Amino acid sequence: MTSDNISDNISWKRKLQYRFDNFMSRGGWSVFLALLTGFFAAFATMTIVRYIAEKFFPNLSEEYRPTTGDLLWEIFVQLIGLRDTGDGANISARTVGIITIFVGLVLFSSLIAFITQEFENKVQELKKGKSLVVEKDHTLILGFNDRIVDVIRELVIANESEADAAIVILSEEDKENMDDFLRSNIADFKTTRVVTRNGSITNINNLRNVALNRSRSIIVLSTAKGSDLNEVKQLADARILKSILAVLAATEQGKTPPLVVEIHSEQYRKLAEKLAPGLVTTLKEADILGRILVQTSRSLGLARVYSSLVGFEGHEFYFYSPPMGWHSLPFKSLPFHFKGALPLGIYYGKKTLAMNPPLDYILQPEDQVVLLAEDDSLIDFSAEPVVAIPTTLSHCNIDRLQKKREKHMLVGWNDKSSIALSEYAKFVIPDSEVMVAVNHVDPEIQEVCGALALKYSTLKIRLQELDLLHTSALRRMQPQSYDSITILSGRGENSEEIDAKTLTTLLELRQLFNEVEETTETPVTTELIAEIINSDDTDLVIKAGVKDFILSNQFVSKILAQVSQNPSVMIVYQHLFSSEGSELYVKPAHLYFGDAEQSWPQSLPFTHCVTSAQSRGELCLGAILSKYWKESHENFGIRLVPSLESIFELGQEDGLIVLAEDDT
């Protein structure tokens, strides 16, 4: 039997019912139109019935013989339940009126109920976060994880100069949960509005719904934490690749906003960058923090310097070229031609970046200079020197620090450990030692340490199984004999649990150091560094006596936020965190001003700090004053990019923050 024959056998009632069901299943306007149609159909029907009743059974009373207009109005108000038939009406009019009122009650109450239900549904839909976003030049964040609070805090600071800025978040999290979480953790959004929407970050329609094409930049957050297993990280990375593809598909060619994505796997990072060359900037938490970990463990105070450099709160990197050109200035003279900024590098013709370039290099018109400044509004270039350039350096000491064998300890194991060991091997001299102390030595850790020991034969890598919860086990390791001890974050259900374990080990080591100092009456010089996940635990770390610390989420979150607003900044971070070229160091003041036997403190202008550093082939960014080491309101003694006329009282315990080739 053909489909035409089957269709012929279906009755017109069934066909009409089928079409009505399809129409009503659309909901919303279909139900409203059906109710409205029913109401007007009832109005027309009852008008005809009432007209017939008036024709065949007219009212005997002359006073109650309605005109056509009165009749229509009476039927309408009876349908909506605002009027009865009146005492003067006869039995036929009253009967029709009662039926009209009853029909009206059913239809009109259904219509009111429908409108009420639709209003409630609309409110529920808004709560679910499915509505269209009508924003422009906003920062779009795809995903929602522990990093979100620090990212938004940074963007709020960046948007302070804007009267009405917006951040839009798209995530599979419930909208109400996201809103409650953000309100609980961020006290003041200042001039920034945060708009949350629920949806898949890999769905093209969801992406278009959050004004993807009109966004300024896009940040893609990973669903995997640094403490998760590799399988979890790979799944998260694969999902980010899919999200990038969805973004490219949802935007017109040539109009895709720049993307900053967090990816754990090196393989997936390369794939992501090839999907949209020049548009996708990738960050790997372990790679960044592993490198910073090594640099901060070898230079006391450097972690706090990085805290002031990374992000929008504090000092930022800017690419600058003056409208009237550089006037053939050598790079050596450049620091004395700026107010509110210090030059650190050159972007040669917008192609190659060099940090701490040759001092005799003559700047070309197409060159851009990398500046460190608190705000771009403070950058003021002058063709003439803004201060007198020191010509005599009789106070300058050009001696170098002697490299010595170093001894460091890593407590715990995570994905940063292998990166840190590789970085140590690149920095330290032969026969230096790194001890890796873990609760349990598994085959994977043994394999990684063995491979690194073979690759870097000049570095002694020792692996020790150690019960970190027992003071006696820690005491046997003689922790006071190490130059630095870095406590790495382990695994846990959440950041609070992970940080609790880290802080417990930290307190145990601090107590051991106190006991050693009381027994030997000799201060312990070992630097303690703790990797903290939750930035709110910073104060706890400081009170525990840690002179240096790493904030995992905060560091990477700040970089994510800053790079999203200016992708070019990423190349500066890549240079600073690399062992090749120049890195940041905190060096003792006596290296630059006489020797340790000289009278201290010395009163010196910052211009002398700059010229003394230049005589050693270094760039000076500022100073660290040891007397404010634990004073948070004094920024822990860090003075970055001070005025060139600033006078410092430098003592032997103070240091200069410099960009240099090495730590000598």
Side-chain angles (χ1 to χ4, degrees), residues 147-219:
R147 204 181 300 291
I148 193 77
V149 171
D150 288 321
V151 170
I152 292 178
R153 283 174 179 165
E154 286 299 309
L155 292 175
V156 166
I157 296 171
N159 294 334
E160 282 182 325
S161 59
E162 300 182 30
D164 183 33
I167 300 171
V168 179
I169 302 172
L170 176 64
S171 169
E172 293 181 6
E173 290 285 328
D174 183 77
K175 173 181 168 55
E176 289 186 272
N177 291 340
M178 287 191 285
D179 291 339
D180 290 342
F181 179 81
L182 294 177
R183 280 193 294 265
S184 299
N185 289 277
I186 303 176
D188 186 8
F189 291 93
K190 299 180 181 179
T191 61
T192 301
R193 291 175 293 105
V194 178
V195 180
T196 56
R197 288 293 182 266
N198 172 266
S200 172
I201 65 173
T202 61
N203 184 282
I204 295 176
N205 291 328
N206 290 160
L207 291 171
R208 288 173 176 164
N209 199 48
V210 291
L212 173 70
N213 289 291
R214 298 190 298 275
S215 64
R216 178 194 304 168
S217 60
I218 303 170
I219 300 174

Side-chain angles (χ1 to χ4, degrees), residues 17 41 75 108 182 224 249 329 469 481 549:
Q17 179 68 42
I75 294 296
F108 196 68
L182 294 177
L329 285 172
L469 297 178
S481 65
F549 52 88

Side-chain angles (χ1 to χ4, degrees), residues 638-659:
I638 296 171
R639 301 291 184 264
L640 273 175
V641 195
S643 169
L644 291 171
E645 296 92 347
S646 298
I647 303 296
F648 289 123
E649 291 290 330
L650 293 177
Q652 291 193 55
E653 300 297 322
D654 299 329
L656 295 187
I657 305 165
V658 295
L659 188 62

Side-chain angles (χ1 to χ4, degrees), residues 426-484:
K426 296 173 184 176
F427 281 107
V428 300
I429 65 172
D431 291 330
S432 293
E433 175 187 331
V434 178
M435 171 67 74
V436 180
V438 294
N439 276 314
H440 174 66
V441 177
D442 58 37
E444 181 184 351
I445 297 176
Q446 283 183 318
E447 182 180 352
V448 172
C449 289
L452 289 172
L454 289 174
K455 183 177 181 180
Y456 303 108
S457 57
T458 56
L459 177 66
K460 296 178 181 178
I461 300 176
R462 303 187 186 280
L463 187 58
Q464 177 69 45
E465 193 167 271
L466 182 69
D467 189 348
L468 302 175
L469 297 178
H470 287 80
T471 307
S472 58
L474 288 171
R475 185 178 285 108
R476 285 196 299 271
M477 296 295 296
Q478 294 186 333
Q480 69 276 11
S481 65
Y482 289 86
D483 297 319
S484 76

Side-chain angles (χ1 to χ4, degrees), residues 258-306:
L259 293 95
V260 184
V261 300
E262 182 186 2
I263 295 184
H264 297 90
S265 166
E266 187 65 29
Q267 176 188 356
Y268 287 130
R269 286 180 64 190
K270 292 178 180 178
L271 286 174
E273 291 170 353
K274 289 179 180 178
L275 285 175
L279 281 177
V280 178
T281 304
T282 62
L283 277 82
K284 182 181 179 183
E285 174 189 324
D287 188 52
I288 292 173
L289 293 176
R291 295 172 186 272
I292 295 177
L293 183 154
V294 173
Q295 293 183 27
T296 53
S297 69
R298 302 182 66 247
S299 185
L300 183 62
L302 194 55
R304 287 174 182 162
V305 175
Y306 275 131

Side-chain angles (χ1 to χ4, degrees), residues 72-271:
L72 292 173
W73 175 250
E74 187 174 336
I75 294 296
F76 178 76
V77 294
Q78 285 175 349
L79 275 173
I80 63 177
L82 297 179
R83 182 175 175 180
D84 58 15
T85 55
D87 296 334
N90 60 16
I91 188 68
S92 64
R94 290 183 178 184
T95 301
V96 174
I98 290 170
I99 296 172
T100 302
I101 291 171
F102 179 77
V103 172
L105 283 173
V106 174
L107 289 174
F108 196 68
S109 60
S110 298
L111 188 60
I112 296 298
F114 167 75
I115 294 173
T116 303
Q117 183 64 41
E118 284 298 301
F119 180 77
E120 291 178 354
N121 289 341
K122 188 63 178 177
V123 172
Q124 291 300 319
E125 183 180 341
L126 290 174
K127 287 183 177 180
K128 291 179 180 178
K130 299 292 185 181
S131 58
L132 182 69
V133 171
V134 186
E135 296 288 351
K136 186 179 180 181
D137 292 331
H138 56 286
T139 300
L140 176 60
I141 301 177
L142 303 181
F144 197 91
N145 60 15
D146 293 342
R147 204 181 300 291
I148 193 77
V149 171
D150 288 321
V151 170
I152 292 178
R153 283 174 179 165
E154 286 299 309
L155 292 175
V156 166
I157 296 171
N159 294 334
E160 282 182 325
S161 59
E162 300 182 30
D164 183 33
I167 300 171
V168 179
I169 302 172
L170 176 64
S171 169
E172 293 181 6
E173 290 285 328
D174 183 77
K175 173 181 168 55
E176 289 186 272
N177 291 340
M178 287 191 285
D179 291 339
D180 290 342
F181 179 81
L182 294 177
R183 280 193 294 265
S184 299
N185 289 277
I186 303 176
D188 186 8
F189 291 93
K190 299 180 181 179
T191 61
T192 301
R193 291 175 293 105
V194 178
V195 180
T196 56
R197 288 293 182 266
N198 172 266
S200 172
I201 65 173
T202 61
N203 184 282
I204 295 176
N205 291 328
N206 290 160
L207 291 171
R208 288 173 176 164
N209 199 48
V210 291
L212 173 70
N213 289 291
R214 298 190 298 275
S215 64
R216 178 194 304 168
S217 60
I218 303 170
I219 300 174
V220 187
L221 299 179
S222 175
T223 56
K225 302 188 292 293
S227 57
D228 288 335
L229 298 174
N230 288 332
E231 292 79 5
V232 177
K233 292 177 182 177
Q234 287 182 350
L235 287 174
D237 289 348
R239 195 162 189 269
I240 286 178
L241 285 179
K242 186 178 178 182
S243 178
I244 295 173
L245 289 172
V247 168
L248 296 175
T251 54
E252 299 178 17
Q253 188 173 7
K255 295 184 178 181
T256 305
L259 293 95
V260 184
V261 300
E262 182 186 2
I263 295 184
H264 297 90
S265 166
E266 187 65 29
Q267 176 188 356
Y268 287 130
R269 286 180 64 190
K270 292 178 180 178
L271 286 174

